[in-house]
Amino acid sequence: KAGVTQTPRYLIKTRGQQVTLSCSPISGHRSVSWYQQTPGQGLQFLFEYFSETQRNKGNFPGRFSGRQFSNSRSEMNVSTLELGDSALYLCASSLTGGSNQPQHFGDGTRLSIL
Amino acid sequence: KNQVEQSPQSLIILEGKNCTLQCNYTVSPFSNLRWYKQDTGRGPVSLTIMTFSENTKSNGRYTATLDADTKQSSLHITASQLSDSASYICVVRFTGGGNKLTFGTGTQLKVEL
């Protein structure tokens, strides 16, 4: 069974641009969560999608948005990029996002802002 | 503020030795506590998930313990191997918080010959 796939693996952008990251969950998984990982802050929750609806949201500005498609694939968009947005962006999927279900992570997209 | 603190920040041990990583949390109430292993350049991989009513959970050479009264958890690695070199992250989930997980900043473990 294929794992969680994130594309692209690496991305370089400049300040002010926007970016879209993609995540394909494990087949059959309907919950997709996004996280930002930086050396200083560690992993921080961005948002969770289930059945094409945002179910939970972390404490990030509105420049960070996402969506989920009917096949459970998800995209995350960051507009007006800032230097501080440089990070590893991780996507994780689970069957339904239930409390005790394990989350399966992809290997992330490393975003660098110049 | 709900927080998860891990210690030590980094650790170097010799191959074959045991080690214990610590996690203290102030998240309350919580539904479960997880330990993840993250290799450099890879996403985290789940090692154990414990509910608030469980005291211990094992996964091969990894054994996690949980004391909900003192809000402490530990991850014990037995007979360490070079492949255990990674970051180990403690994660706590709020009750009813959906997938709003609170992450520790991790312990960087290096296993040397």
Side-chain angles (χ1 to χ4, degrees):
Chain A
K1 200 180 214 182
V4 177
T5 303
Q6 291 188 246
T7 56
R9 285 297 310 276
Y10 303 93
L11 205 49
I12 299 175
K13 292 285 187 180
T14 56
R15 281 182 298 172
Q17 287 186 310
Q18 75 165 17
V19 67
T20 299
L21 312 181
S22 179
C23 172
S24 293
I26 290 173
S27 178
H29 285 193
R30 294 165 58 196
S31 168
V32 174
S33 297
W34 288 89
Y35 299 89
Q36 181 194 66
Q37 186 175 32
T38 59
Q41 299 292 322
L43 272 150
Q44 294 182 285
F45 172 74
L46 281 157
F47 29 65
E48 182 213 0
Y49 285 87
F50 178 77
S51 292
E52 302 178 64
T53 300
Q54 187 180 89
R55 188 158 65 176
N56 282 296
K57 190 176 189 302
N59 298 321
F60 278 80
R63 300 185 297 108
F64 293 81
S65 63
R67 59 178 176 169
Q68 186 180 36
F69 302 94
S70 58
N71 62 358
S72 294
R73 190 177 71 84
S74 178
E75 287 182 348
M76 190 191 94
N77 184 274
V78 187
S79 62
T80 319
L81 286 165
E82 301 176 358
L83 292 178
D85 297 333
S86 293
L88 180 66
Y89 290 89
L90 291 160
C91 161
S93 75
S94 64
L95 278 169
T96 62
S99 158
N100 295 327
Q101 290 176 7
Q103 286 193 311
H104 300 267
F105 283 83
D107 287 334
T109 293
R110 183 161 298 280
L111 176 63
S112 298
I113 311 301
L114 303 179
Chain B
K1 182 182 176 181
N2 290 310
Q3 287 186 314
V4 178
E5 296 183 351
Q6 293 186 242
S7 63
Q9 190 173 8
S10 62
L11 182 62
I12 301 175
I13 62 173
L14 294 176
E15 188 181 30
K17 298 296 186 183
N18 304 334
C19 68
T20 301
L21 314 181
Q22 300 291 343
C23 173
N24 296 335
Y25 60 92
T26 59
V27 175
S28 182
F30 82 101
S31 62
N32 61 60
L33 184 145
R34 308 164 183 223
W35 283 93
Y36 283 89
K37 177 188 178 188
Q38 185 174 21
D39 292 317
T40 301
R42 306 297 301 272
V45 173
S46 179
L47 293 175
T48 61
I49 299 176
M50 290 182 291
T51 66
F52 66 90
S53 61
E54 293 178 291
N55 299 117
T56 186
K57 184 73 70 83
S58 290
N59 179 359
R61 295 179 296 103
Y62 302 100
T63 299
T65 62
L66 174 63
D67 185 335
D69 292 331
T70 61
K71 294 185 169 56
Q72 293 180 325
S73 176
S74 64
L75 179 69
H76 187 73
I77 304 174
T78 304
S80 61
Q81 301 176 356
L82 296 178
S83 60
D84 292 331
S85 296
S87 177
Y88 291 84
I89 304 170
C90 174
V91 188
V92 182
R93 177 177 165 156
F94 291 105
T95 298
N99 270 333
K100 280 188 181 179
L101 302 175
T102 301
F103 292 80
T105 52
T107 292
Q108 190 67 44
L109 174 66
K110 185 174 183 181
V111 180
E112 295 182 336
L113 288 171

